Amino acid sequence: MLKTIKVAEKMLESATVFQVSTIDSLGFPNITALTPLKMDRSLDTIFFYTKHNSATVKNLSNTTNAAIYCFNEDAHTSLMLKGRFLIINPQELDSSWTDYLNGFQKSLNYIDPAILRFTSLAVKVRESGKVSYSDLQD
């Protein structure tokens, strides 16, 4: 379990894009690529920036359950997290949250932005063909 957590934390530090999967109103997965904010990123919590009227945000009215995925092609390693999303209105955050946007995120210049806080419940790591799993919540 400890090795799983260490590998997951290392991948999380270097990941620049995540595939985010939510469930639409018909029960189908909706998968999109989102870049995480650099604020308070940990195995427990990851923040994402998107627009309020995105399919991802709309799907959260059906269920907050979601999964995120990233991979490192060179190391043949992937990280999968299952958990829940909470929609945060940017006005609820300290005004310095915009300092955590990368250049790409700033260029999106959303009129009605949403910050999504992903809380991880479990982690699965695939490293060189071997899979390990760990629950993160009691």
Side-chain angles (χ1 to χ4, degrees):
M1 178 170 96
L2 187 56
K3 183 175 187 320
T4 300
I5 300 300
K6 287 194 179 291
V7 171
E9 287 172 340
K10 184 177 177 182
M11 286 199 67
L12 186 61
E13 284 177 21
S14 62
T16 57
V17 177
F18 286 87
Q19 292 177 332
V20 174
S21 179
T22 55
I23 304 298
D24 71 15
S25 61
L26 297 174
F28 286 94
N30 178 72
I31 301 170
T32 190
L34 292 178
T35 53
L37 290 172
K38 293 187 178 188
M39 61 190 285
D40 300 324
R41 189 188 320 184
S42 71
L43 197 53
D44 294 325
T45 305
I46 304 167
F47 290 90
F48 294 93
Y49 172 74
T50 190
K51 56 187 173 184
H52 217 97
N53 66 348
S54 68
T56 299
V57 171
K58 289 176 186 174
N59 289 341
L60 298 179
S61 66
N62 302 316
T63 179
T64 59
N65 293 334
I68 63 175
Y69 172 82
C70 68
F71 64 93
N72 180 316
E73 185 176 11
D74 294 333
H76 304 287
T77 305
S78 61
L79 169 64
M80 295 153 272
L81 297 170
K82 72 175 182 177
R84 293 192 178 94
F85 270 118
L86 177 66
I87 303 166
I88 299 175
N89 187 322
Q91 286 75 24
E92 296 174 34
L93 298 172
D94 182 317
S95 62
S96 67
W97 72 268
T98 56
D99 295 341
Y100 295 101
L101 295 174
N102 65 29
F104 171 72
Q105 291 164 329
K106 287 178 184 176
S107 75
L108 296 171
N109 197 28
Y110 292 134
I111 294 170
D112 189 18
I115 304 296
L116 303 180
R117 184 178 75 201
F118 183 81
T119 302
S120 304
L121 300 175
V123 58
K124 186 189 281 187
V125 171
R126 182 179 305 269
E127 185 178 28
S128 298
K130 296 180 183 173
V131 176
S132 59
Y133 170 88
S134 180
D135 282 320
L136 298 173
Q137 305 288 316
D138 294 330

